[in-house]
C-alpha cells in the first residue's frame, strides 16, 4: 500500500509517517514547509531506517498535484496539510479559506482522476464550536473562527463528494488537543514564534526561552478554575490514523466521523503539575485574563472510535509531559538547533 501524506513534515504528520513505515506502508510526503523544518526528514529517516520520498510544493497547485498522482500509484491519502492558528485565521481569513480548501480541492480532484479512493482527513474538535464537552460525533457542527470554518467546510465538501462518488471512502478525524513527542526525543512540535498552544508554551518556559506561563483565566467553572482540555499523545493520535486507514479498506460506508481523544479532561494547572514532575522543578506561572474565544471545557466522547476502530488512547498525561520535555530539552531550538 502506497500512501500520500500531505503535510507529512509537520508535527502530527511526521509522527504518523514514522508509524506508517513501521506498519509496512510505502509513504510519499508532500509538504511546502510553511510550518515545518527540512531537518525533520533526516530524523524520520533515521527513526525508520529507510529513505522517505518528499516532494516540496504547495498543494493548492492543481497541476503539480495532478502530476504527482500521475507518476505515483497511490492507494490512499492522509491529508494533514493546512494552516491551523486560530488567531491568525481571524487576521487573514482569505489565506485560510484559500489554502485549506484549495489543497483539499486539488487532492480530491487528483484522487478522482487517478482512481484513488481512500482519504483520511485531519479535522478537529473545533467543529463542535462551543459545545465541546463530552462531544459525540452526531453533534451539530459549526465554528467560531475562520480556521474552524475551514474544517467544517472541508468536512462538508468531502461528504458532498462522497454522494457524487459513492465508491470513495472518507474518514473525518476530529482531533482533540494533540501534545507530546516521539519517545526518542528526535521529532516533536516546533512552533514558529511565540507558541499559541499550552504545552509548547510550558515547554519553552521550562527550557528557559520564556519567563513564565500565562494561564488564561482562573475563574472558569472547572475543577480548579482553569480551562479543561482532552490532551492526546501524538503517538496515540498517529495510531488512530492507521486504524482509520485500515477501517476504510473494509467498510461499505462512504463517510466515517471519529473523535480522537481520551475522553478525559485535564486542567491547565494539572498539565502544568505533570510538566513540573517531568522537569523536576517548579515552572513559574501567572493567572491572567481569559483568552477571547476560549471555552471552559473540551473533551471527547471517544466511544465510537474505540468500538469501530478498535483503537483507544494509551498514554497518560505524565507520558505526554515527559516526552514533550525530552524533545524540548534535547532540541532547545527545535529542528533549527
Ligand atoms: C486551540 C484552538 C483550537 C485548535 C487547537 C489546536 C483556540 C480558541 N482554539 O485549542 O481551535 O484546534 O488549538 O491545537 O485557540 N492556555 C493558557 N496559556 C497559554 C496557552 C493556553 O492558559 O499560553 C490554556 C487555554 O486557555 C486553554 C488550554 O490552555 O484552556 C489549552 O489551550 P490551547 O493549547 O491553545 O488549545 P485550545 O485552546 O484547546
Amino acid at each position: 500500500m502506497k500512501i500520500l501524506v500531505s503535510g507529512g513534515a509537520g508535527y502530527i504528520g511526521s509522527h504518523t509517517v514514522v508509524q506508517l513505515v513501521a506498519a509496512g506502508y510505502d509513504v510519499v510526503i508532500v509538504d511546502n514547509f510553511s510550518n515545518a523544518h527540512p531537518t525533520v526528514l533526516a530524523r524520520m529517516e533515521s527513526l525508520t531506517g529507510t529513505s522517505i520520498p518528499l516532494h516540496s510544493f504547495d498543494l493548492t497547485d492543481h497541476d503539480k498535484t495532478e502530476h504527482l498522482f500521475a507518476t505515483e500509484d497511490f492507494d490512499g491519502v492522509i491529508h494533514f496539510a493546512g494552516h491551523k492558528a486560530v488567531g491568525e485565521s481571524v487576521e487573514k481569513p482569505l489565506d485560510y479559506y484559500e489554502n485549506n480548501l484549495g489543497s483539499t480541492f486539488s487532492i480530491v480532484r487528483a484522487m478522482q482522476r487517478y482512481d484513488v479512493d481512500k482519504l483520511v482527513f485531519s479535522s478537529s474538535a473545533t467543529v463542535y464550536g462551543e459545545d465541546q464537552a463530552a462531544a459525540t460525533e452526531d453533534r451539530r457542527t459549526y465554528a467560531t473562527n475562520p480556521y474552524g470554518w475551514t474544517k467544517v467546510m472541508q468536512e462538508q465538501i468531502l461528504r458532498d463528494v462522497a454522494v457524487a462518488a459513492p465508491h470513495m471512502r472518507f474518514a473525518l478525524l476530529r482531533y482533540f488537543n494533540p501534545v507530546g513527542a516521539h519517545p526518542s526525543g528526535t521529532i516533536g512540535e516546533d512552533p514558529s514564534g511565540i507558541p499559541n498552544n499550552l504545552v509548547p508554551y510550558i515547554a519553552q518556559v521550562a527550557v528557559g526561552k520564556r519567563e513564565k506561563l500565562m494561564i488564561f483565566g482562573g475563574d472558569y467553572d472547572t475543577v480548579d478554575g482553569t480551562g479543561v482540555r482532552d490532551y492526546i499523545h501524538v503517538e496515540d493520535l498517529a495510531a488512530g490514523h492507521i486504524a482509520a486507514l485500515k477501517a476504510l479498506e473494509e467498510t461499505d460506508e462512504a463517510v466515517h466521523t471519529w473523535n480522537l481523544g481520551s475522553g478525559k479532561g485535564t486542567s491547565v494547572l494539572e498539565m502544568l503539575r505533570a510538566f513540573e514532575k517531568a522537569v523536576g522543578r517548579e515552572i513559574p506561572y501567572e493567572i491572567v485574563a481569559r483568552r477571547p474565544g476560549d471555552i471552559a471545557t473540551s473533551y471527547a466522547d471517544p466511544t465510537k472510535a474505540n468500538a469501530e476502530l478498535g483503537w483507544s488512547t494509551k498514554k497518560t498525561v505524565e507520558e505526554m509531559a515527559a516526552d514533550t520535555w525530552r524533545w524540548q530539552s534535547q532540541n532547545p531550538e527545535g529542528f533549527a538547533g
Side-chain angles (χ1 to χ4, degrees), residues 11 15 179-190 198-210 233-234 271-284 316-334:
Y11 170 45
H15 290 80
V179 300
H182 192 276
S184 65
T186 60
I187 60 172
E189 186 170 14
D190 182 16
L198 177 67
V199 169
Y201 202 103
I202 297 178
Q204 291 198 3
V205 175
V207 84
K209 284 181 77 175
R210 315 228 166 251
H233 196 296
V234 66
M271 180 55 85
L272 183 72
R273 300 296 173 226
F275 224 90
E276 288 180 332
K277 205 169 135 200
V279 176
R281 57 187 151 74
E282 284 190 7
I283 296 172
T316 62
V317 168
E318 283 67 32
E319 288 170 284
M320 298 175 204
D323 290 341
T324 303
W325 178 236
R326 192 175 304 106
W327 153 251
Q328 183 73 63
S329 52
Q330 288 178 15
N331 305 270
E333 302 302 325

Side-chain angles (χ1 to χ4, degrees), residues 84-87 123-127 132 144-145 147-148 151 175-179 189 195-202 212-217 220 226-231 266-268 286 288 290-296 298:
K84 62 168 189 181
V86 174
S123 189
S124 166
T126 197
V127 303
Q132 295 189 23
T144 57
N145 57 71
Y147 156 74
K151 293 296 182 190
Y175 313 157
F176 282 71
N177 287 57
V179 300
E189 186 170 14
N196 292 312
N197 298 116
L198 177 67
V199 169
Y201 202 103
I202 297 178
K212 62 181 167 188
L213 171 69
M214 303 294 178
I215 296 184
F216 300 139
Y220 285 108
T226 66
V228 165
R229 297 292 183 271
D230 185 343
Y231 297 96
T266 301
S267 75
V268 174
E286 184 186 341
V288 298
R290 292 181 180 190
R291 180 170 64 178
D294 270 358
I295 55 177
S298 168

Side-chain angles (χ1 to χ4, degrees), residues 127-291:
V127 303
Y128 299 120
E130 292 181 310
D131 307 319
Q132 295 189 23
T136 49
E137 289 84 350
D138 54 3
R139 208 165 272 189
R140 172 176 78 105
T141 60
Y142 72 101
T144 57
N145 57 71
Y147 156 74
W149 279 116
T150 71
K151 293 296 182 190
V152 175
M153 288 179 188
Q154 287 173 96
E155 286 198 359
Q156 186 58 44
I157 289 162
L158 298 176
R159 286 179 200 288
D160 291 342
V161 171
V163 172
H167 65 285
M168 294 186 80
R169 297 289 177 266
F170 298 98
L172 313 179
L173 303 184
R174 295 177 178 163
Y175 313 157
F176 282 71
N177 287 57
V179 300
H182 192 276
S184 65
T186 60
I187 60 172
E189 186 170 14
D190 182 16
S192 55
I194 302 170
N196 292 312
N197 298 116
L198 177 67
V199 169
Y201 202 103
I202 297 178
Q204 291 198 3
V205 175
V207 84
K209 284 181 77 175
R210 315 228 166 251
E211 192 194 335
K212 62 181 167 188
L213 171 69
M214 303 294 178
I215 296 184
F216 300 139
D219 57 353
Y220 285 108
D221 183 16
T222 60
V223 58
D224 55 22
T226 66
V228 165
R229 297 292 183 271
D230 185 343
Y231 297 96
I232 173 171
H233 196 296
V234 66
E235 290 280 287
D236 282 333
L237 186 58
H241 289 73
I242 295 174
L245 197 55
K246 290 200 175 119
L248 291 190
E249 286 162 31
E250 288 156 15
T251 181
D252 293 330
E253 265 177 65
V255 183
H256 292 267
T257 310
W258 288 301
N259 283 340
L260 298 186
S262 69
K264 184 179 167 294
T266 301
S267 75
V268 174
L269 279 170
E270 287 167 344
M271 180 55 85
L272 183 72
R273 300 296 173 226
F275 224 90
E276 288 180 332
K277 205 169 135 200
V279 176
R281 57 187 151 74
E282 284 190 7
I283 296 172
Y285 71 90
E286 184 186 341
I287 296 183
V288 298
R290 292 181 180 190
R291 180 170 64 178

